[in-house]
Amino acid sequence: TCLLFPQTKLLEKLAYKLVPETEVQSKITMLDERLLATPAVALERCHAVASGMMESAAGALTDGIACLSGFTQELDRSIREKEDHTDRCEDEIGNYLIRLSALQLEDGHSAQVSRLLKVIGDLERIGDHAVNLAESGRELAEKKTAFSEPARAELKHMTDAVQEIMALTCRAFAEGDVQAALLAEPLEQVVDDLKEALRSSHIRRLQKGGCTIESGFIWLDVLTELERIADHCANIAASILEDPTIHGSAQLSRSHSDSYLKAYREYGAKYLNQ
């Protein structure tokens, strides 16, 4: 102890280097136990932390897509840090909401707890899919292979569509934007259709020798990951539209309404018919 005592400052600096303070910790500490006595405030805090979790998931998606055209260790590390953030947030928010649900809550508050639990589950899965995209990028780099030029052009349509639905979902959740939430469902259907169209296009390229089987397997994995991310975004948007605390959301008719079909046609023209 006597020998180490003069090195206290140095040891403190070393500890900060090895275990740096992170934004994740500061956000999660917003979930104060004392707020459980006021469910409305506790739910508002959970929503704020979930919004930060959504930002991390969206950032991981952007980095994962970037890995497909140029994998780097820095991008991979960034994705895994963001995915770790989403995992921690899901654990903390989930445990907090379960403690909150054990109290005597109004029906409206109980429904909000259920919706938030679903949302954080979807966000955690988006983080996982972003990691899988990074793994596909790593595999392309390690095998020294790449998608063909036509495949890259098609993939751009798919990634643009998925990033748009992610942006709509972020805006809908953070701001309670009903119109943004309404657009997520038709765009998700376009992403589904686009996946099937790109699979068919890929098969034609294989038949003509325009694509290797090795890169083709990775291509199909990427399409699946992107389509599932869009599914999770649509789930989150649907939960927002079911929230009666958001003005007018309970009265809105979504599937196959005139506005749905109009949005579907517009997104189809933007991403499918290119």
Side-chain angles (χ1 to χ4, degrees), residues 7 32 58 68 73 75 113 115-116 127 147 153 157 173 195 226 257 263 266:
Q7 309 299 325
D32 195 311
L68 297 175
Q73 293 297 336
L75 278 173
V113 168
R115 280 190 290 272
L116 275 172
F147 299 137
H157 301 325
F173 185 76
K195 176 190 173 185
L226 291 169
S257 64
E266 290 175 351

Side-chain angles (χ1 to χ4, degrees), residues 114-167:
S114 296
R115 280 190 290 272
L116 275 172
L117 284 170
K118 291 177 184 176
V119 166
I120 61 175
D122 281 307
L123 290 174
E124 190 276 334
R125 291 298 296 136
I126 289 172
D128 290 342
H129 291 307
V131 170
N132 292 342
L133 289 176
E135 287 300 315
S136 292
R138 182 197 298 273
E139 190 175 356
L140 285 169
E142 289 178 349
K143 292 181 177 179
K144 294 182 172 56
T145 187
F147 299 137
S148 65
E149 188 61 38
R152 287 197 296 271
E154 292 175 351
L155 183 60
K156 181 69 163 55
H157 301 325
M158 184 75 160
T159 55
D160 284 351
V162 171
Q163 286 189 296
E164 180 164 357
I165 196 173
M166 187 79 227

